[in-house]
Amino acid sequence: MFPRSLESDSQAFCKKAMEKDLMLVPGDIFGCPRHFRIAYCVPTERVEKALPIFQELAEEYL
């Protein structure tokens, strides 16, 4: 899955996510600049645990 990054520099966005223990991969590596890659083939509990962290990250861009 390749959602659009909340900033134009997807590498910087992924670095900010990593500071919150979210492991995202910049989309540039896959030919998708301004996007990031997220794997959701993990246990449901792990995805549910990450949702509030994604919310916290998103709020930093408001």
Side-chain angles (χ1 to χ4, degrees):
M1 179 153 101
F2 288 92
R4 187 167 190 131
S5 175
L6 296 177
E7 64 179 272
S8 60
D9 184 345
S10 61
Q11 292 186 15
F13 178 74
C14 290
K15 184 176 179 180
K16 287 181 185 177
M18 236 190 255
E19 292 170 1
K20 298 182 178 305
D21 293 327
L22 289 175
M23 302 301 136
L24 307 176
V25 180
D28 322 51
I29 298 168
F30 302 97
C32 297
R34 297 185 56 116
H35 291 75
F36 62 94
R37 182 174 186 271
I38 179 172
Y40 52 89
C41 56
V42 295
T44 302
E45 299 80 29
R46 187 171 295 169
V47 173
E48 290 171 343
K49 184 178 177 183
L51 291 175
I53 302 169
F54 272 109
Q55 180 70 36
E56 181 182 322
L57 179 62
E59 288 173 356
E60 290 183 14
Y61 289 90
L62 296 177

